[in-house]
Amino acid sequence: MSLINEFLISGILLGFASGISPGPLLTMTISESLKHGSRAGIKVAVSPFITDILIVSMILLFLLKFENYDPAIAMISLGGSFYLIYLGISSLRTKSSDLDLETKKSDSLKKGIIVNFLSPHPYLFWIAIGGPILFKAQDTSIFSAILFVIGFYALLVGSKITIAMLVGRSRGFLKSNYYLYTIRSLGLVYVVFAFYFLKQGLELLN
């Protein structure tokens, strides 16, 4: 039982750390919450439930079957960098007239899915950290592995949902200029992550 608790606690701690760490998905959660309200931010926050089924399956296959997965991660990083540049430019070009977006379709869940698929973060996490822990947990019992996964995603998604709710509720207290500058600042964050992913992808290819 102590080992089972250990895997659950490990999942909770890693999930919380990943959930609140700066990254493209957290940036988009805040951005969509500001633009469209908490509901849109929550849609972004829950996107790992959809994307990570395939991502984790791919990573476990890589770990079991392949010795060199750097080229695959490199291509994911490069694709993600271009998409983040697009998102960053869109945010930087936001004008005051664009701020009233309540009636517009946000496609927040779709955006979250694309960003998470193209971000190297979940792939690198499951290759370097999550995969080995999951294999170790499975050696103990399948229940241990399940507890690790539940603990990880409960905190990964739960922390982002909490942030989305807090940001969404603060919208009414934001003056228009602050709102505009925040959206544009998030655009800069997107661009920073884009260049980081581009650098990472090129390094893996070399």
Side-chain angles (χ1 to χ4, degrees), residues 21-92:
S21 295
L25 197 63
L26 179 60
T27 302
M28 177 166 286
T29 299
I30 295 172
S31 177
E32 291 295 295
S33 298
L34 285 172
K35 289 181 178 179
H36 306 286
S38 295
R39 183 175 296 181
I42 290 172
K43 289 180 180 178
V44 176
V46 301
S47 62
F49 284 142
I50 300 173
T51 61
D52 284 23
I53 293 176
L54 179 58
I55 290 174
V56 174
S57 299
M58 289 171 55
I59 294 308
L60 295 181
L61 179 63
F62 275 125
L63 291 175
L64 289 172
K65 300 292 184 182
F66 299 99
E67 294 182 358
N68 184 14
Y69 34 74
D70 285 354
I73 301 299
M75 297 309 297
I76 292 168
S77 298
L78 293 175
S81 68
F82 291 123
Y83 185 64
L84 287 172
I85 288 174
Y86 163 75
L87 292 175
I89 292 174
S90 298
S91 294
L92 288 170

Side-chain angles (χ1 to χ4, degrees), residues 27-28 31-32 35 84-95 98-99 111 179-191:
T27 302
M28 177 166 286
S31 177
E32 291 295 295
K35 289 181 178 179
L84 287 172
I85 288 174
Y86 163 75
L87 292 175
I89 292 174
S90 298
S91 294
L92 288 170
R93 295 176 63 183
T94 300
K95 301 178 181 178
D98 298 329
L99 296 180
K111 291 179 182 178
Y179 183 98
L180 179 62
Y181 295 148
T182 301
I183 295 299
R184 289 178 175 174
S185 297
L186 291 172
L188 290 174
V189 175
Y190 279 133
V191 173

Side-chain angles (χ1 to χ4, degrees), residues 7 13 39 66 85 104 122 129-130 148 159 195 205:
F7 290 118
L13 294 176
R39 183 175 296 181
F66 299 99
I85 288 174
K104 296 182 181 180
I129 303 172
F148 172 73
S159 59
F195 282 105
L205 285 178

Side-chain angles (χ1 to χ4, degrees), residues 122-135:
Y123 301 89
L124 293 172
F125 170 82
W126 282 103
I127 287 172
I129 303 172
I133 292 177
L134 195 59
F135 285 132

Side-chain angles (χ1 to χ4, degrees), residues 5-20:
N5 289 336
E6 177 185 332
F7 290 118
L8 176 61
I9 293 172
S10 296
I12 289 172
L13 294 176
L14 288 170
F16 180 69
S18 299
I20 64 172

Side-chain angles (χ1 to χ4, degrees), residues 116-205:
N116 208 44
F117 260 130
L118 294 179
S119 169
H121 285 177
Y123 301 89
L124 293 172
F125 170 82
W126 282 103
I127 287 172
I129 303 172
I133 292 177
L134 195 59
F135 285 132
K136 182 179 179 182
Q138 190 174 9
D139 289 339
T140 303
S141 72
I142 187 65
F143 188 57
S144 298
I146 292 173
L147 283 179
F148 172 73
V149 173
I150 290 175
F152 178 77
Y153 282 103
L155 270 293
L156 173 72
V157 174
S159 59
K160 284 183 169 59
I161 289 176
T162 301
I163 291 172
M165 294 176 65
L166 293 173
V167 172
R169 288 177 180 176
S170 70
R171 294 172 73 228
F173 300 98
L174 294 174
K175 295 183 179 179
S176 182
N177 285 338
Y178 292 136
Y179 183 98
L180 179 62
Y181 295 148
T182 301
I183 295 299
R184 289 178 175 174
S185 297
L186 291 172
L188 290 174
V189 175
Y190 279 133
V191 173
V192 170
F193 281 117
F195 282 105
Y196 169 73
F197 289 172
L198 182 63
K199 177 177 179 292
Q200 190 172 49
L202 293 175
E203 288 177 348
L204 289 172
L205 285 178

